[in-house]
Every structure is written in C-alpha cells, then in structure tokens.
Amino acid sequence: MSRRTVLRIGAGAGAGLTLGLGSACAGPTGAPGPGTISLGFNRSLVSLDNKLNQFDAAVTVQRAVRQTLTRVGEELKLQLVLADRFELTAPTRWTVRLRAGVRYSDGSPVTVADVATALKMYGQVNGSFITGFFPELPTVEQVDSRTFHLRTGRPLPVLDYLMANILITPAKANRPEELSGGLGSGPYTVTSANSGTGEYSLTRNTKYWGPRPRIDNVRVRFVPEESSRVMAMRAGELDVVDSLTPDSADQLDGLPGVSIQRAAGTRINQLFFNFRKKEGQPLADPRVRQALSLAVDGQALIRDVLTGSAEAARGVVPLTLEGAVRTGSYVYDPGRSRKMLDSLGVRGLKVKVIWETGEFTADTSVMEALLEMLRDVGVAATLQQFEPGGDILQWRQGRRGDWDILGNGFGSPSGQAISTLQGMFGGTAEKEKTRDTYQGFVVPRIADALSNASAEIDTARRLAQLAATQKEIWALWPALWAFVPDVVTARRDRVQDLGLQSVNSYDLATVRLEG
C-alpha cells in the first residue's frame, strides 16, 4: 500500500467517519518576548494536575508548577526531587525524608501531611490514570517533621519510581478533582489558567527552593491543527511543539532557526479491543481478535503513514522499559484472516473504532487506512473521532455508548515494565466497579501474576515472572495492532538546553533562551 494509496483511502473514507464537536481554537498570535517561551500543544491541557489524565507533554508543565518526591530522569534513572532520602528499609516499608528548605510559592513549607493528603486524594478518584499503576497506595506514618515511612500491605519494590507520579499540593488546598491553579513547589507559578481553551501563563517562582529557572515566563497554547502549529513555528509565534507527524517534522527540519530533536519512545500506541464484551460476542474470543489483527498491514502504516518514525510493537509494552520482553509480532495475512473468521462462524462483522484527536501522530490517516484494511476481510468499520475536551473518557469507561476498538496511547512515566503492565492489565472485578480498569481488561490469573511479580523483591525472580506473564497477555491478543513511536519535538534555535527525554518530557527550569 503506497502512501498515495493511503491518502486516497483517507479521502474516500468519509462515509464511515463521524466527528465530534470541533474545537474552534485558533492558532497563537504574536511572537513571545525575549524572556518568554511559548509552547504549542496538540492536546488541551485541561489541568495542572494529573489525577485523571496525563499526556506526555503535559508533564513538562505540570511538574513546572507541582513537584513529586522523585522523578524519572535521563536514561530512565531515578532522581530525588522533594525527597533527599527514599530507601527501602523493610520489605513493606520505605523510609523517606523531605529535603530541607523545600517550600511552596507562598513561602509555606512542604510537609509530611501534604504527602499523606496527596495520596488520599489520588485514591478517591474513580477512573484514575495514575492509581492504575499502583497495586496499592501506600500509607504515611510520620516519624519527625521531615521523615516518614511509606507502608504497603505487600512488598512494592518499585514504589520509589511510582511516587514520581504523585504531585504534591498543600493539604488544605488539595481535592480529589484535578487542579488547574493552586500552590506548588515548582520553579513556576500560575498567573492565568483557562482549562476550556487550554491556555495557561506561568511566571518564575521567586521563592523557588531550587536553582533559579533560566526563563522568566511560559505561555502554553492549545493549537489542535498541526498545520497551524507548523505555521506558528515558521512565524516565530511558537518556540516548541511536540507530537509532530513525520511530514510536519520534515517540513520543519532544516528550516532556518528551527531544529528537530528525537528520542526513542516509551509510549505504546494501540488499537485496543473493548474487553467489556459479554461471552458469546465475537470480540470476546481471542481467536477472533487474532484473526482481525491479521488484516492490518502494519508495515505499510509505518512506511507510508508514519514514514518510518515508529516501529511495530513486538511486545505488550515498549521494549525500552526495564523488564519488557519480546513476545511476538504482528503479521499481515488477509487471506488467513478471512479463513479464520469463516472457520469461527464470524460473517458480516461490524466494528466501531473510536479515538481522540491528537492521541497519536497521524491518527486520522491511520484510522482511515484501517477502515479499508478491515473492509478487505469482510469487516465493516465505522470511525468516531472525539475532539479534545470531549467525553471520550466516559466512552472508554463504558458509561456512554458501545464501541469495539479504541485508538489509544499509553505512556510509561515510571520507566518500569511492571507498572505499565499493572496499569493496563492488572484490572480486577473490584476495580471494574469504579471503571478503574484499562478498557475493561479483567483477567484474574493475569492480575494475580502481576500482583505477585510486583511484590517480588528479588529482581531476577521478578523479571522472570514478568516475562512469563507478558507472553500470556500477548496470547490473549488485547490489541488489533500496536506501535511504539519516536519522541519528536521541534524547537526554535533560541531555545537551548532542552533535555528531551524518552518519556517525551523535559525540565523547564533548565531550558534557556538566546535572544
């Protein structure tokens, strides 16, 4: 399938495509000043908190305002932030000490009570993205004004990595809801926030406890149209844009005053099946799911749509993560797909594919090509695209309409395979009651195996258990197809020291401007 064919398919696929309410958000206007950096996002930053939603680029801004005890830094190595000690002192006890002198932007100190309250607030959110990584949330036992224990019922040997995702807020200002403003201990404070438009303004925190940020002001803009982001970069109205399609990256690469940065990614993008299907329905059968996967020409999608900026997944999580193993590969064989479907008595199958605009680069082109590929094996697909800020979360949780396949990206903020596996495949019947599962994936033996592995302190044994469980998950064919994209960011050359990481984030405090 050539790129021209893919584009032709996309042009002819409109009959099966229904769009949600469009965003009329215009592109940014006006170049940022000499002390201001302007960031252009393809998805709306709905909050400066991450209890429910966390797309990769948002982490850059969220952590510029609110901080965590630890963070995953370069080469996915753990770094201490608000804590200066984070040590496993017993199988179910970690001893943590807050760094001396850490304060919020109003000058008040970060306290042990703030950490305890943050964990409670995350635990009170239904459908939380973050808590899905945790086999259990730890409890806090204060030792002195700076020292406390984090206790769990079972050993949790990667808790220091997991806590890199719990943003700390003053206890009195914290709530279970995501927070758009409020106090933080980060290098920047919020001067204006509009979650509806996705526009935020930040200024340097003059009371910041760490090294002084090099940039005084940050502007965040939601620019949904990629062509608008590219034009704004050309015009100097945006300094940094991420999640670019290969075509747009090629347009900007080599442009005077613009540079492209790339890194190997830790995010997996999936066409994930709806696991809330009742027994007896075709998609509840892993053999049907495997048959459908044979209809997808993944190599053509990578070659002609993603133009080599990604690779097909060879496991259920990205192989860049610690503990990930290769479990298989997606094969394109439409003839075998049709034979398998016929042998299983599946004829005239109709599927509904949903996704949110900007979930991954070239998402619409991928989906439109997918529609034609499924049609070639006798499967009629309809596409429903949700604009950012819509109600796709309700659909994903099974609270709205029915669907069959979800286009979704799943990041790995911990850099550990175990936490990503736990987030996607560790669902239980209890979690499903509050829709805290990944698209309804509830397989008790898988959940038990992941729970046992997550509690294994011996690293070698834990990795062996994880390897076996990943192969078991692959055999269930949870995804129609999956791929791991490169991290691609465009920046104007006046932006220096942007340390792009594999988790598609960077530390705003270390970035500097020239001119």
Side-chain angles (χ1 to χ4, degrees):
M1 183 180 293
S2 68
R3 181 167 179 77
R4 181 176 297 177
T5 302
V6 169
L7 295 176
R8 177 183 57 78
I9 290 171
L17 179 64
T18 58
L19 299 178
L21 292 176
S23 171
C25 180
T29 57
T36 300
I37 188 172
S38 184
L39 314 179
F41 287 173
N42 71 324
R43 297 178 65 186
S44 180
L45 180 62
V46 297
S47 78
L48 290 171
D49 199 351
N50 65 341
K51 293 187 182 78
L52 274 172
N53 298 293
Q54 177 172 291
F55 67 93
D56 299 340
V59 175
T60 296
V61 178
Q62 289 168 341
R63 295 190 182 185
V65 177
R66 287 181 170 83
Q67 294 182 303
T68 50
L69 297 173
T70 61
R71 67 175 291 169
V72 179
E74 294 182 8
E75 299 181 355
L76 304 180
K77 301 298 184 183
L78 193 74
Q79 299 173 349
L80 297 176
V81 185
L82 293 178
D84 65 7
R85 180 190 180 193
F86 207 117
E87 181 182 359
L88 184 64
T89 50
T92 59
R93 184 189 71 198
W94 292 77
T95 299
V96 185
R97 186 176 64 188
L98 292 173
R99 192 181 298 274
V102 290
R103 295 184 175 274
Y104 296 109
S105 58
D106 66 349
S108 62
V110 178
T111 68
V112 174
D114 298 338
V115 178
T117 300
L119 285 164
K120 290 178 182 177
M121 294 301 102
Y122 277 84
Q124 292 178 21
V125 176
N126 289 339
S128 170
F129 170 76
I130 293 299
T131 56
F133 290 106
F134 286 78
E136 61 177 299
L137 287 172
T139 58
V140 175
E141 296 178 355
Q142 186 161 352
V143 176
D144 57 39
S145 62
R146 291 172 50 204
T147 309
F148 58 95
H149 297 314
L150 289 176
R151 288 192 179 272
T152 53
R154 304 180 69 195
L156 188 48
V158 295
L159 182 60
D160 49 350
Y161 281 84
L162 292 174
M163 289 300 292
N165 298 288
I166 302 295
L167 298 172
I168 309 301
T169 296
K172 63 181 180 181
N174 212 338
R175 303 188 306 275
E177 299 83 13
E178 291 186 296
L179 309 173
S180 293
L183 296 175
S185 62
Y188 291 92
T189 61
V190 184
T191 55
S192 67
N194 188 326
S195 59
T197 63
E199 297 190 1
Y200 296 81
S201 294
L202 312 179
T203 192
R204 183 173 58 82
N205 177 7
T206 58
K207 295 184 175 66
Y208 183 48
W209 59 270
R212 174 185 169 129
R214 298 177 175 184
I215 297 174
D216 291 333
N217 303 296
V218 180
R219 293 191 337 197
V220 179
R221 297 289 183 265
F222 168 44
V223 189
E225 294 296 330
E226 185 165 59
S227 58
S228 297
R229 295 197 302 278
V230 170
M231 287 190 295
M233 281 289 291
R234 287 176 175 271
E237 296 171 0
L238 289 175
D239 289 309
V240 182
V241 295
D242 72 321
S243 302
L244 289 168
T245 63
D247 281 348
S248 293
D250 288 344
Q251 288 181 46
L252 292 171
D253 196 15
L255 190 72
V258 177
S259 297
I260 303 294
Q261 288 188 221
R262 303 176 189 270
T266 59
R267 181 181 182 87
I268 189 167
N269 291 334
Q270 306 157 311
L271 302 174
F272 204 88
F273 288 107
N274 185 350
F275 273 78
R276 295 189 176 96
K277 299 297 181 180
K278 295 181 180 179
E279 186 175 354
Q281 292 181 311
L283 293 184
D285 187 339
R287 296 172 298 175
V288 174
R289 298 195 293 265
Q290 180 185 7
L292 292 176
S293 77
L294 293 167
V296 180
D297 190 349
Q299 290 305 312
L301 291 174
I302 288 174
R303 181 185 66 244
D304 301 322
V305 180
L306 302 171
T307 60
S309 64
E311 62 177 23
R314 293 171 292 163
V316 292
V317 294
L319 298 183
T320 48
L321 302 180
E322 183 176 348
V325 297
R326 180 169 181 169
T327 54
S329 53
Y330 291 98
V331 177
Y332 176 55
D333 191 338
R336 184 182 169 201
S337 174
R338 286 188 293 268
K339 290 179 181 178
M340 284 185 67
L341 292 173
D342 286 342
S343 68
L344 294 168
V346 179
R347 298 179 179 86
L349 181 63
K350 297 179 180 180
V351 297
K352 183 173 186 175
V353 184
I354 67 172
W355 81 101
E356 182 179 78
T357 302
E359 187 66 37
F360 48 79
T361 58
D363 48 13
T364 302
S365 296
V366 168
M367 298 306 188
E368 291 171 345
L370 174 68
L371 184 147
E372 189 71 12
M373 292 172 185
L374 290 173
R375 183 181 297 161
D376 285 345
V377 297
V379 176
T382 57
L383 309 179
Q384 183 164 356
Q385 183 176 5
F386 292 80
E387 292 304 313
D391 60 356
I392 191 170
L393 179 61
Q394 296 290 315
W395 285 68
R396 287 174 50 188
Q397 293 177 341
R399 302 179 190 273
R400 289 287 179 91
D402 190 24
W403 56 274
D404 300 295
I405 299 166
L406 170 71
N408 193 57
F410 197 95
S412 179
S414 72
Q416 302 287 309
I418 179 59
S419 54
T420 299
L421 290 164
Q422 194 82 38
M424 288 195 290
F425 305 110
T428 62
E430 190 66 25
K431 289 182 179 180
E432 178 61 11
K433 291 178 182 178
T434 55
R435 295 300 193 258
D436 286 317
T437 65
Y438 190 68
Q439 327 316 335
F441 189 98
V442 178
V443 181
R445 71 177 187 277
I446 298 294
D448 289 345
L450 291 174
S451 178
N452 291 335
S454 69
E456 178 55 66
I457 294 178
D458 183 89
T459 302
R461 284 199 294 266
R462 181 170 69 251
L463 294 180
Q465 292 173 17
L466 282 182
T469 305
Q470 288 172 73
K471 293 174 182 177
E472 249 194 291
I473 295 170
W474 180 272
L476 294 174
W477 292 96
L480 177 70
W481 185 60
F483 64 98
V484 179
D486 295 336
V487 173
V488 181
T489 294
R491 61 171 176 83
R492 298 201 62 79
D493 288 345
R494 80 184 196 116
V495 178
Q496 296 292 312
D497 297 338
L498 190 152
L500 183 64
Q501 299 171 7
S502 295
V503 291
N504 196 15
S505 181
Y506 50 91
D507 185 357
L508 263 176
T510 65
V511 179
R512 62 185 176 87
L513 295 177
E514 289 186 349

